[in-house]
Amino acid sequence: MLSSYAAMKPLLLLTPIRLLQASFFLLLALTVALHALFSTTSSLVLEGGSPLLLLISAHRLPLLSLLWCALLALLAYLCTRPRPVLLLDYACYLPAPDRRLTYETCEYFVRRAGRYSRTSEEFMRGIYLKSGLGDETYAPAFIFESGHDACLASALQEAEEGIFAAVDAVLAQTRVDPARLDAVVVSCGMFSPSPSLTSLLVRRYGFRPSVKTFNLSGMGCSSGTAAVDLAARLLRSSREVRYVLVVVTESISLNWYFGDDRSMLVTNCIFRVGSAAAVVTNDPARRRDAKMELLHFLRTHHGADDAAYRAAYQEEDAAGIVGIGLKKDLIRVAGEGLREHIRALAPHVLPLSQLVAYAYAVATAWWGAADGKAKSKPYVPDFTAAFEHVCIHTGGKAVIEAVERVMRLPEGLTEPARMTLHRFGNTSSSLVFYELAYFEAKGRIHKGDRMWMLAFGTGFKVCSLVWRSLKGSSVDANNPWRDCIHRYPLKAW
């Protein structure tokens, strides 16, 4: 495998201009050679050749021009067609058992902090009990220490534990030498230290100086899918980028809210520790090793609407304490954003039968509106005809139920989202990878299956990744569900 890569490397480093020049001289040489061949055989053809050879000899120049144009068109197609984006493998971080945040531990921490009113404590208790979270989610180290305030060191510790564990696992699983990585993309919505998190990785793993690094922040729970989107665009647009490491994480330590604003207290109840890492490539030699191929990716941004922009918003409360407020309008905004996103995604993924049914429903609704008839419910295509599996953003119980309602999905299709929320809580940008791990642990993925990853983020953004499986499910030693999958599914709410 390495020898074939070494043999192809000089061709991969050719710039488009050099490739075009080489193609021109190759075609020119071919034209001259064919012309010489026809010239030497023309006397034989004229003496008693077949009618086909007589025709070719009489129209040498047009035929050579046609051949030249055909070869040039083929070369242009080969150079401009999208390169495949392959998911070699991924890994999810499973914290140590002593980081489990049970209901009792969480309640004890809240009371020990002594910074909440009795009303706020009762409010958080109610939210927690209705959240769908179980007693096996994980919290950062400062929750279990004597002091109740996190510091920068706590946030760095949380980031390093999750990121290093996930990256170590995925590099071992893919057998990719860190020196071969061409780009590193790290997404973390609420923690952006200096030096950056990508610099942290470069320092630990010794990536080569030419490695390209990208840090995504402030994008909320959608940043994991957005990071893969960015990696895919790099792989499809550059001949020099072959392997990209994608790392998705979040920081709770510096974002725990100690005020009494109810919209900000919700984050304390649902957000938990989690990280994931993946290696994606456009190297065709690794296709047999890859788990999935990325078929389509789409991001829609709805921040032009003020309600969408402020649906999840970081600000100071009345006492000057910083927190992230999840507004009551969030579910409505998520539903409207999802509808707009679906309208943009549907033509690329739905089968023809569903597109025809959708067009008919739109035409019927328009005709009914023109006649003054009452508006009917908007038609929702059957996305189960386009995908065998769906990884829905596990933002919370209300978010999952809203997606079910908007897309009219059967309850069984949202099982991985509900179980991931119960087992790991809202781990933000890494959620979709924990759901993918659930599918694999259950052995539900088969070769050729299509999977839709859907995530929402602050701003307000909706992001989609559409994959096709290249092999069946496999449960490796780093699957976070490996030791508990036998207990799922269960009734989470």
Side-chain angles (χ1 to χ4, degrees):
M1 184 179 301
L2 292 177
S3 60
S4 63
Y5 175 80
M8 293 173 60
K9 192 171 183 180
L11 294 177
L12 297 174
L13 295 178
L14 285 176
T15 64
I17 295 299
R18 290 177 179 174
L19 189 60
L20 184 61
Q21 290 172 345
S23 305
F24 174 78
F25 286 113
L26 178 63
L27 292 173
L28 181 60
L30 180 61
T31 302
V32 172
L34 289 174
H35 185 273
L37 177 63
F38 286 139
S39 297
T40 57
T41 59
S42 59
S43 59
L44 297 175
V45 171
L46 293 174
E47 289 177 1
S50 66
L52 178 60
L53 292 177
L54 287 171
L55 179 64
I56 292 175
S57 179
H59 301 87
R60 282 179 295 178
L61 185 59
L63 288 174
L64 289 175
S65 300
L66 180 62
L67 177 62
W68 191 91
C69 293
L71 290 175
L72 189 61
L74 177 61
L75 180 64
Y77 167 74
L78 293 175
C79 293
T80 58
R81 65 174 179 172
R83 299 177 182 85
V85 177
L86 307 174
L87 173 66
L88 276 185
D89 213 333
Y90 68 97
C92 299
Y93 168 53
L94 183 65
D98 60 357
R99 298 288 175 82
R100 287 183 179 173
L101 186 63
T102 64
Y103 170 75
E104 289 78 13
T105 304
C106 187
E107 186 175 39
Y108 173 73
F109 169 77
V110 168
R111 291 183 175 178
R112 187 187 66 191
R115 298 174 64 176
Y116 300 102
S117 66
R118 187 66 178 175
T119 302
S120 294
E121 290 181 6
E122 293 297 327
F123 174 77
M124 282 192 286
R125 180 182 292 108
I127 293 294
Y128 187 100
L129 294 176
K130 295 186 297 183
S131 65
L133 273 68
D135 274 350
E136 294 183 282
T137 61
Y138 299 94
F142 86 95
I143 295 287
F144 307 94
E145 296 171 352
S146 56
H148 58 264
D149 274 340
C151 57
L152 180 61
S154 303
L156 284 172
Q157 179 188 6
E158 178 187 351
E160 290 177 353
E161 287 180 350
I163 290 174
F164 292 163
V167 173
D168 286 345
V170 78
L171 291 180
Q173 290 167 200
T174 58
R175 301 185 301 279
V176 172
D177 188 332
R180 292 187 65 186
L181 292 172
D182 302 297
V184 179
V185 181
V186 176
S187 68
C188 184
M190 300 303 299
F191 182 50
S192 183
S194 184
S196 64
L197 293 176
T198 53
S199 297
L200 190 70
L201 289 171
V202 171
R203 178 174 178 267
R204 176 178 174 89
Y205 295 98
F207 300 141
R208 64 178 188 268
S210 61
V211 67
K212 299 173 176 63
T213 59
F214 303 86
N215 290 275
L216 304 182
S217 62
M219 301 181 71
C221 301
S222 67
S223 62
T225 49
V228 176
D229 179 295
L230 174 58
R233 295 179 189 275
L234 289 171
L235 291 168
R236 287 191 172 181
S237 62
S238 174
R239 288 184 172 272
E240 297 182 359
V241 177
R242 303 291 285 172
Y243 289 89
V244 180
L245 173 66
V246 177
V247 181
V248 289
T249 188
E250 193 49 87
S251 175
I252 296 178
S253 296
L254 292 181
N255 293 288
W256 195 277
Y257 176 65
F258 287 103
D260 290 310
D261 188 308
R262 290 195 170 191
S263 68
M264 298 180 180
L265 286 170
V266 175
T267 59
N268 294 351
C269 304
I270 62 175
F271 280 91
R272 296 294 183 264
V273 165
S275 299
V279 174
V280 288
T281 181
N282 58 12
D283 186 357
R286 299 300 304 270
R287 190 176 187 86
R288 288 186 177 182
D289 304 322
K291 283 182 176 287
M292 293 185 171
E293 179 179 4
L294 185 62
L295 302 180
H296 192 74
F297 43 93
L298 176 68
R299 286 190 288 168
T300 55
H301 204 304
H302 313 279
D305 176 66
D306 190 63
Y309 179 74
R310 294 183 172 273
Y313 198 77
Q314 185 180 30
E315 58 186 341
E316 294 178 339
D317 64 9
I321 303 173
V322 177
I324 301 174
L326 304 181
K327 310 303 181 185
K328 293 181 179 179
D329 211 25
L330 176 61
I331 302 304
R332 182 192 64 81
V333 165
E336 292 183 357
L338 179 58
R339 290 187 183 94
E340 292 184 27
H341 186 82
I342 287 174
R343 281 194 288 268
L345 180 69
H348 301 282
V349 298
L350 287 177
L352 181 60
S353 59
Q354 286 297 315
L355 291 176
V356 171
Y358 179 72
Y360 175 77
V362 171
T364 303
W366 178 83
W367 186 267
D371 290 344
K373 295 180 180 179
K375 291 184 178 181
S376 58
K377 291 184 177 180
Y379 177 79
V380 179
D382 181 12
F383 277 88
T384 60
F387 308 107
E388 283 75 28
H389 314 289
V390 180
C391 294
I392 297 173
H393 171 66
T394 315
K397 177 182 176 181
V399 173
I400 297 173
E401 291 175 341
V403 174
E404 278 185 340
R405 183 173 61 255
V406 170
M407 298 182 60
R408 300 177 188 174
L409 298 175
E411 184 174 329
L413 204 62
T414 61
E415 174 195 315
R418 291 182 283 110
M419 297 306 102
T420 301
L421 181 66
H422 179 272
R423 176 64 179 85
F424 295 100
N426 184 342
T427 62
S428 189
S429 54
S430 60
L431 279 169
V432 288
F433 287 101
Y434 283 90
E435 289 187 62
L436 176 56
Y438 181 89
F439 279 112
E440 291 218 275
K442 281 292 185 181
R444 295 178 181 176
I445 299 177
H446 303 90
K447 184 177 180 179
D449 285 358
R450 296 153 299 175
M451 174 170 289
W452 181 20
M453 289 184 175
L454 176 67
F456 307 115
T458 54
F460 183 84
K461 296 176 290 296
V462 186
C463 301
S464 284
L465 301 174
V466 179
W467 303 90
R468 180 175 60 228
S469 178
L470 300 178
K471 58 176 64 174
S473 298
S474 60
V475 184
D476 53 57
N478 296 304
N479 190 301
W481 296 91
R482 188 170 60 91
D483 296 330
C484 63
I485 192 63
H486 61 280
R487 295 190 274 113
Y488 291 89
L490 48 78
K491 185 64 177 177
W493 60 72

